[in-house]
Amino acid sequence: MNSSQIQHFNYIFTGAGLASLMTVYKMVLSGKFSDKSILLLDKDAKKINDRTWCFWEKEETIWKSIISKKWDSALFANENFKRDLDLKPYSYNKINGLDFYDFVFEKISNQSNITFLKEKVTDINELETHVFVGTEENRYTCNYLFNSIYTKAFAERQTKYPVLQQHFVGWFVKTEVDVFNSEQATFMDFSVQQKGNTRFMYVLPTSTTEALVEYTLFSENLLPKEEYENEIQIYLQKLGINQYKITEKEQGSIPMTSFSFWKKNTKRVLNIGTAGGWTKASTGYTFKNSDKKSSELVEFITDKSASIALSMTSESLNMKAFHKKNRFWFYDLLLLDILYRHNELGSSIFSSLFKKGNLKLIFKFLDEETSFIEDFQVIMKCPKVSFIKALFRVIFK
Ligand SMILES: Cc1cc2nc3c(=O)[nH]c(=O)nc-3n(C[C@H](O)[C@H](O)[C@H](O)COP(=O)(O)OP(=O)(O)OC[C@H]3O[C@@H](n4cnc5c(N)ncnc54)[C@H](O)[C@@H]3O)c2cc1C
């Protein structure tokens, strides 16, 4: 392309990870966007297995063909107790990042209206009638832009909302002898030393000799890499595992915050994924929320575009109208306020919730599908004094 030419698209997605690919996949499935030109821009080719996604689900999902492992049982533990959690009617499902990327790219490779380019985005600029996008190589314009490039500074350079990180390093290990229960995932094992933080182990066994073992914290600051890895070694020894190979590693740092990302949305630019606040602030889980939000988004664009076309006005879509704030946002804020001030309380809060709590209700609550009375039942399982204090702090701040 001649560098003076600027190619125009109906929609551009800056970043082509989870949220963008889910949205584009559903746009294709809907069959309503085949006359719209769509450009996906990402600095990476999306050919690497860079993350493992897990989510609970009780109904069949459109991702079922790429689920590589399901668990019907999970373990919650701390230094004093262990509880086997029967997940049914839910199952805990695992999808390898690369399987997801391959699955979506195969679908969109047959769509002549969709283009993927491996280019690093350097500039996004909204004008009255369109949005301008600059990359290291080219320049583009579009009517609407969906951005999933996360700008750390937005959340981290403000003081109104606490920001924690869910940070972790995981080893995929292969042992010589059978040691893992391949039918049970470990959600949270708080029996590891807390050192003034919220620290736990997360284990995803895929066979009796293979598992992903992840040392995870919900806290403000990251650790030196050796510290996560030392803790994994100590934990493996505690499980009686001395002979093993590390076949792969993964690491991550997911922002946990009630920061109002949606306030960055404008008429033509919608932030999606973690950048749009689609990460559940209190848990860091994003897959399921993105699945829901991407469906809502495709419906939103389809319905609004249709009604604008019907009214035959020169009105255009307003992306700002997409966001809805709910009471779960506030509950997340309370938990984060407590963990931010008293990071050492994480083990006791999660333990009181999981020790006797009804797991189906907890999942329903985390999926933001509970009634007000059910919310109360879940919250009352947590240490009351901490939550009441947080309530006063947040309200009277
Ligand atoms: C290792 C790991 C494991 C996780 N496990 C789970 C899990 O089990 N369950 C769960 O619910 N959530 C999990 N998460 C959290 C969350 O689901 C993921 O982070 C998810 O990928 C977020 O989706 P996204 O679309 O917001 O961002 P991403 O998927 O990260 O997509 C953003 C894209 O933007 C691209 N990009 C960035 N900068 C530029 C630029 N300047 N120009 C062009 N492209 C750019 C990136 O390459 C990336 O492809 C995990 C996260 C990590 C890192």
Side-chain angles (χ1 to χ4, degrees), residues 15 17-19 42-44 46 51-54 121 273-274 286-287:
L18 179 73
D42 203 290
K43 63 179 173 52
D44 296 333
K46 309 307 289 178
R51 60 203 63 191
T52 308
W53 281 300
C54 282
V121 175
T274 299
T286 316
F287 189 92

Side-chain angles (χ1 to χ4, degrees), residues 327-373:
R327 63 185 192 281
F328 296 93
W329 171 87
F330 186 73
Y331 303 151
D332 286 350
L333 178 60
L334 291 183
L335 177 69
L336 289 173
D337 182 81
I338 299 169
L339 292 184
Y340 185 75
R341 285 160 191 276
H342 296 286
N343 201 233
E344 72 286 357
L345 291 183
S347 172
S348 66
I349 294 174
F350 287 103
S351 297
S352 39
L353 191 60
F354 280 97
K355 191 166 186 181
K356 292 210 180 87
N358 172 342
L359 188 73
K360 280 120 225 163
L361 196 59
I362 297 173
F363 279 167
K364 199 174 165 197
F365 177 73
L366 294 175
D367 286 340
E368 306 187 352
E369 289 166 357
T370 36
S371 65
F372 196 66
I373 291 171

